[in-house]
Amino acid sequence: MFYFLEKNPFFFTLAFVVAFAVAGVVEILPNFFKSARPIEGLKPYSILETAGRQVYINEGCYNCHSQLIRPFQAEVQRYGAYSLSGEYAYDRPFLWGSRRIGPDLHRVGDVRTTAWHEKHMLEPTSVVPGSIMPAYKHLFKKDADFDTAFAEAYTQKEVFKVPYDKPGGVQLGDMQEAKKLFLEEAKGIVERMQDPEVKAALKEGRVKEIVALIAYLNSLGQGRIEKPSAKGQ
């Protein structure tokens, strides 16, 4: 058999390609499917974070900011730990982006605060001198869309089996309960903000888009990974 292959380059090449393809399938596919699964401890986006993600998409933030840190030393030193495929398991659509007119945001929640984001979105140059990013003052005026965010999260749960309502994880519940959690989470953000109109709106049961967007940005990073409890260690 081997003598025949050695004497016939075409069949030798064909046999090599087949053997290489089979080996590749055996070695690569299991790891591919494993890496595509959610990493351990990954939390789904809350309703408020989902609403903020919708603002991020609607405003086209992905046109200037990526959410994909490549495994290069220069990127890791600047932006934090490189991105893992399993971190995107609950992202529909992916917001990897294709350009970096602004910095990568995949770990921005680990390095920026609510107060910083408020100042940055209101007047970018107040915290980043020379910034070319436009101000997003309209986000302080417009209410976040709770209904659409709830519908998206519910769809993720029912269609894509995103693990909402798991013990110790992100709770969804019915619409009334979800709205309560939505407002409670927003309260935690607003308490660290300065804008009086944003604070007044929350007292009336309304959440501004800037609050939802900040909640989403704060979630980008290690905040989405649940730490194992001391009991479970």
Side-chain angles (χ1 to χ4, degrees):
M1 177 65 177
F2 292 108
Y3 179 77
F4 171 77
L5 292 176
E6 289 176 359
K7 298 287 286 184
N8 294 272
F10 172 77
F11 291 105
F12 180 86
T13 302
L14 184 62
F16 173 82
V17 170
V18 171
F20 187 81
V22 171
V25 169
V26 171
E27 288 292 327
I28 296 173
L29 282 184
N31 289 329
F32 177 80
F33 286 117
K34 180 179 179 181
S35 65
R37 298 191 186 105
I39 62 175
E40 184 176 358
L42 182 69
K43 296 186 294 184
Y45 295 110
S46 68
I47 307 301
L48 183 64
E49 291 164 358
T50 299
R53 193 170 190 268
Q54 292 170 346
V55 174
Y56 185 97
I57 293 172
N58 292 339
E59 295 295 332
C61 301
Y62 54 84
N63 288 313
C64 295
H65 295 281
S66 61
Q67 286 190 37
L68 180 62
I69 305 171
R70 296 171 293 182
F72 302 140
Q73 185 176 6
E75 298 216 356
V76 170
Q77 288 179 339
R78 183 176 183 184
Y79 300 122
Y82 62 83
S83 304
L84 302 173
S85 60
E87 294 182 80
Y88 302 100
Y90 304 143
D91 287 19
R92 296 179 179 86
F94 299 123
L95 298 177
W96 293 326
S98 59
R99 294 188 297 172
R100 283 183 184 161
I101 295 173
D104 186 275
L105 299 180
H106 198 211
R107 308 287 183 209
V108 69
D110 298 336
V111 295
R112 299 302 185 190
T113 65
T114 293
W116 188 93
H117 284 306
E118 180 182 15
K119 293 177 181 178
H120 186 231
M121 300 304 292
L122 191 62
E123 186 52 63
T125 55
S126 67
V127 290
V128 183
S131 173
I132 62 172
M133 181 175 132
Y136 285 83
K137 297 179 181 180
H138 59 282
L139 300 182
F140 291 75
K141 307 294 184 182
K142 191 175 179 181
D143 291 347
D145 188 349
F146 166 80
D147 291 345
T148 301
F150 177 82
E152 180 175 329
Y154 188 82
T155 300
Q156 297 274 2
K157 175 185 174 183
E158 295 298 316
V159 177
F160 300 107
K161 308 305 177 185
V162 173
Y164 283 101
D165 298 329
K166 296 291 184 180
V170 175
Q171 300 299 300
L172 187 59
D174 60 25
M175 199 166 189
Q176 185 175 358
E177 180 64 20
K179 184 64 177 286
K180 180 180 177 181
L181 295 173
F182 177 83
L183 292 172
E184 288 178 357
E185 186 179 353
K187 181 180 178 182
I189 300 290
V190 173
E191 285 175 348
R192 300 191 292 274
M193 296 179 67
Q194 299 297 321
D195 191 276
E197 291 187 28
V198 170
K199 291 179 178 293
L202 185 64
K203 290 180 180 180
E204 299 173 359
R206 295 181 292 111
V207 175
K208 295 301 180 182
E209 284 191 339
I210 184 61
V211 178
L213 179 60
I214 290 176
Y216 172 63
L217 294 174
N218 286 345
S219 76
L220 297 178
Q222 296 304 307
R224 287 193 68 200
I225 314 300
E226 290 182 326
K227 304 299 181 182
S229 63
K231 183 178 179 180
Q233 291 180 331

